[in-house]
Structure formats: structure tokens, C-alpha cells
Amino acid sequence: MELFLYTALFAPLVGSLFAAMFGARPKTKIAGIVPSIMLGVSLISSTILLVLVLTTGHTVHVEMMTWMATGDLYIPFGFVVDQVSVTMMMVVTLVSTVVHVYAIGYMDHDAGFNRFFAWLSAFVFSMMILVMSDNFAGLFIGWEGVGLCSWGLIGFWYKKESATWAANEAFIMNRIADLGMLIGIFLVYWNTGTLQYDGAFAAMPGLDTATLTWIGIFLFVGAMGKSAQFPLHTWLADAMEGPTPVSALIHAATMVTAGVYLVVRSNELYALIPNVGLFIASLGAFVAIFAATMALVNRDIKRVIAYSTLSQLGYMFAAAGLGAYWVALFHLMAHAFFKALLFLGGGNVMHAMNDELDPFKMGGLGKTMKGTMILMTLASVALAGIFPLAGFFSKDLILEVAFIDHHFIIYTVLLLTAGLTAFYSFRIIALIFHGEDRHTALGFHPHEAYKFMLWAMAPLAVLAVIAGALKGSYFEMVTYVLPATEYHVHSATTYWIMTIGTQLFVIGAIYFAYKKYMSKDIKVPDGTSKMENSFAYKLLINQYYIPYFYEEYLVKPYRELSTLCWTHIDQKVVDASVDGIAKAFYATGENTRAMQSGNLSTMLKWMVAGTVALLSLAVVFGLAAKYSGEIKLFLSGLGV
């Protein structure tokens, strides 16, 4: 089985290197086809490993080679396929394969076609390292790898200033968070003597609570950055500057879910510090409703879906923080399918509308884009949590966890978020595909995407429907590694009231969205309406003014301080000192240049002078050595 492990891991790297060979050449389809095939190979290998884990309950653990071995420090390149990692492997490879095939059509007319697939496959390879490593050091390598590749992909259209700015924002904000994670990893090694998961977690029950708390906090800081949790969340929506396949991959199955995976993988640590877990759950619930409110009014399709991702990540952290680790991982898996489907559907709409993203400028697209409409509607139903699609089973289970554990504030917040999610999801569907045609008058002539792109999206649609039905089998598999806690509301009456009440609430939100945004009176907002001038609307459309706060009170003062240090310290002190030393040596050389005049008489004079100086020094040092005792006695008499 080691062969399948290495194949699953390295096939994306082979695809990336192949595409990179064509990086500077004109677009060639083979640079997209081969990486897609390699992702398919990785998916098949991951599936074989999944079957092995399901049927035998065993894990595959290999040590490829030694990375570091010095003193007591030993870090191998080791990889493990267990019930948790194989779940992530399946999600990553399946969604990535779909995205790669889809991107062949989406990037068809882009001059950077070859370069795009090199970055995209490298991104998947980094994510596979992250989820398959058997130690914190290997996880951190993959962690930084996805950070680097996300920088290249978000800023793929580097000639756009907004794209390069967004890429730098994501990279820098994640570096800030990664410093916290690195401190956490150092604390793990310092206190346990190992970075291997099994050894480190086995040693943690013997540590004091304060140490464990600090380790948990610092590791979670890294998770906050990668999964864009408040206050390190602003990069997520801005990352929409990248091509849509990138958004589908980053936001559905890879980078942003890495933080959730870290907390789930570290469940043995967080089980020892429930107060930190409660903080994680509370922050997750806050982020869930915080992001959902911003999605209510946004007029950018991709940003609305991005805020939705941020909100659903809040659900996952809420479950993980409450100790329901397998529930968090189950929602991660289900969410990956319908969220990737939504992003890819949004990409079809963008192509049809010449990259227009404002849904108010669309309307009636269902007549020309029936396939995309069906797929996006299906994904939105799953996202809203309507029975019997996948979102119902995973989100409803998180609500049950909060209710059963008597965290009623968290439960209420997540329930309200469910209603908001349904509203903003179908607000977009109504504005894009239904109602009056508003795009023709604006000069748009939409068309459906390539058929193979729609077929590539089909597996995600199927999984968005059926994934929830796999809950029982998934529970049996993953609880070999994670705590096997089942969550059931004790009273059947209470359960049905909760379930039916939630469904009615969500359906009511959908009805309200359709009623409001399918009206014939819908016009392109121009900033003059009463709603657009309200305080609440301005607060939400400006993201609670948090980006403004960061710019005015963090970025600008830091820039001014940097400018001050550059002009007064770097130039006037550091540069002046270095330049002064150089000038002194240069002046000395200029002044002593006459010594090398080539005149024999002058040269002899310098030789005599040098000889006299050397002899004088020899006499002085000789006398000092001979009379050192007398000199010391004399100096002591002087009190020196």
C-alpha cells in the first residue's frame, strides 16, 4: 500500500512540473490535460487507500527518509493514512480533479494557461503534504506551501494592481498567523521532546494546564489565519481577485479548511483544555453570523460565496470547539462539494457575462443557462440545509451538538445564521437566473459554458445530494481516530420540533428572498435608494469598516513609521556609517598612494622608515617584557 500512498502524494507534483516546463511557451492544452490526469491518478490512489481503511480499519504509515537528526531532535519525512487524513485526501483530490478539468475550459483563452496549471497542481501537492504528514514539522511544510501557492494563484493576473494587492494581503496576513503557529510547534517540541503526532499527544496529559493552554492558543492562531477567522478574515473576500477555479479550490477543499483540520488533528490536545475549545466554538459562532450578515447586501457573486465560506468555517470551528470533531470534519467534507459547485457555477455566469459580477445587472439567465442554473440551485439548496441534501445532515448535526451541550447562545446564533444563509443564497439565485431580463439592455449576450465543464461539475452535484446519507458509515470509520460521541436530542418531540422548525425557518427565508428579488421593479442600484443610504446597509457593505480601520490605524501608521526609520535611521545612521567607513578607507588609499610612485629613491626612504618603526616597536615590547614586574609595582604604587 506504500505505492498507492506515494502515488497519491506525488502525482500532483508530477503534473505541476510537467506544466511548468511549458510555463514560458504559448498556451498548449497538454499543459492542462496532463496535470488533470495526474490528479485523477491521485484520486484513484486515495480511493484505494480509503477502501483499505474502511475494510480493515488499519492505517498506512511510512517513513520516506530522515529530514533532521541532531542530538535529541529527529524529524523524518513521514506520512500517515488514517481515517482522518484519508477523508481529507479524498476531499482534496476529488474536488481538485473536478477543478482541473473545469479549468481547461475556463482558462481556455488565457495567455497564462500553462503557468496556471503549474501553480494549481503545486497547490494541491502542498495540501496533500499538509494532510498526510505524521508530524507537526511536515504539516508546517505543507502549510507554508499552500500559502506560497495561494499567493501565486490569487495574484495570477499580476498586471492587475488589485490582484497583486490581494495576493500580498493574503500572504502577509497568513505569515502573521503562522508566527503564532510556529511558536506553538516550538512549545510542543520543548515540552514533549518530539514533533510526531503520536508521541507528542501521548506526552501531553503529563503537562500542566497552563502549558497546554498556551500550546492550544498558539496553534489556533495559525488556524485563524489559514481559515480566515476574525480578526484575520479580510484576506478571504479579497482573494476573489484570482481566477474562479482558484477560488473554488481554496475556498472549498484546501487552504481555508486547513485550520479546521489542524484543530481536528489536535483533538487530543484540545480535549485537555476545554476552555480554549469553548473560545474556539464561540469565535466560530460569531464568525458564522458575522460573515452571513455581510453576504446579505454584497453585489459581487464571488464575494457573496466567499462570505458564505467564511460563515460555514465558523460552523466547523463551533463543532470542533465543542468537542464534536467528527461532526466538524463531516461538515467540512459535505461543504466542500456544494461550495465548489457554487463557485464553478459562478464562474460559468462570469464567462457568460464578460466577467460581470453584479447580479443586479443580470436577471433571466435561466433561459440561456439552464444547466448552470440547475447546478447552482442544487448547491444553494444543500448550502441552505434543506432535507434531504448533504447540508441538512451536517449543519443540523452541528445545531444538535450545541443544543445537547446546553450552549444555547451558540445554538441560537447558528440557527439565525442558517436563515441568513438561505436568504443570501437564494437572493443570488433569484437575481441571476429569474425575474426580468436586465442584461440585454446593458449590452450583454450570455451563453452557456462548454458541455464538458458542466459534466465535470456533475460529480459535485451528485455528492451534494447524497453525501449526507453517508453519515452513519462515515461515523463508524472516522471514530477509530476521533472521539466516538454520538449526538441525539433525548426527547423525540424536541428533536422533531427543532428539525421541522429549522426547516420552516430556512424555507421561509428562501421564500422571502424570492419574493423580494424576483419583482419586476428590480433595478440596478445607483446609491440613491433609502436602503442604500441607511446606516445598516453602509455598515454591512463596508464590512463593518474593519478594512478601513486596518488601513487607517495599522497600515498607514506602520508605513509612516517605516518611512521615518528609513529616512532617519537607515539612511542617516546605518548607510552613513557604512559609507563613512568605505570613504575612510578610500581616503587612506588616496593619501598613501604616493608610497607606490615607482621612484627607487622614494621607495628606499619608505623601507628605511618602516624598518626603524618595526625596530622601535621591538625595543619597546622587549623592554616592557623585561621590566614588567617593576612596571606593575610602579603602577600599583600609583594606585592603578
Side-chain angles (χ1 to χ4, degrees), residues 378-401:
L378 197 64
S380 297
V381 172
L383 174 60
I386 302 295
F387 180 84
L389 275 70
F392 166 79
F393 292 94
S394 59
K395 288 174 66 176
D396 194 62
L397 196 54
I398 295 174
L399 290 170
E400 286 185 48
V401 169

Side-chain angles (χ1 to χ4, degrees), residues 96-129:
S96 299
T97 301
V98 170
V99 169
H100 271 69
V101 174
Y102 175 91
I104 294 174
Y106 188 90
M107 302 297 290
D108 188 39
H109 303 294
D110 197 288
F113 183 92
N114 306 342
R115 178 169 56 90
F116 176 80
F117 280 93
W119 274 113
L120 199 65
S121 289
F123 184 88
V124 179
F125 171 63
S126 298
M127 189 66 190
M128 293 294 279
I129 290 178

Side-chain angles (χ1 to χ4, degrees), residues 2-120:
E2 291 185 14
L3 176 62
F4 293 111
L5 184 151
Y6 288 131
T7 302
L9 176 62
F10 288 107
L13 177 62
V14 173
S16 174
L17 294 175
F18 181 86
M21 291 192 300
F22 298 90
R25 299 182 185 181
K27 178 209 141 186
T28 173
K29 280 283 181 70
I30 196 72
I33 294 172
V34 170
S36 300
I37 292 172
M38 288 296 100
L39 259 296
V41 170
S42 182
L43 173 60
I44 293 170
S45 298
S46 298
T47 304
I48 293 171
L49 291 168
L50 172 66
V51 172
L52 171 71
V53 170
L54 273 173
T55 55
T56 66
H58 295 158
T59 62
V60 181
H61 194 177
V62 301
E63 186 176 309
M64 190 172 70
M65 65 180 73
T66 299
W67 179 31
M68 292 185 186
T70 174
D72 295 331
L73 177 64
Y74 176 71
I75 304 175
F77 277 118
F79 303 97
V80 63
V81 177
D82 61 10
Q83 287 77 4
V84 172
S85 60
V86 79
T87 300
M88 293 298 296
M89 290 166 63
M90 285 299 300
V91 171
V92 170
T93 55
L94 195 153
V95 174
S96 299
T97 301
V98 170
V99 169
H100 271 69
V101 174
Y102 175 91
I104 294 174
Y106 188 90
M107 302 297 290
D108 188 39
H109 303 294
D110 197 288
F113 183 92
N114 306 342
R115 178 169 56 90
F116 176 80
F117 280 93
W119 274 113
L120 199 65

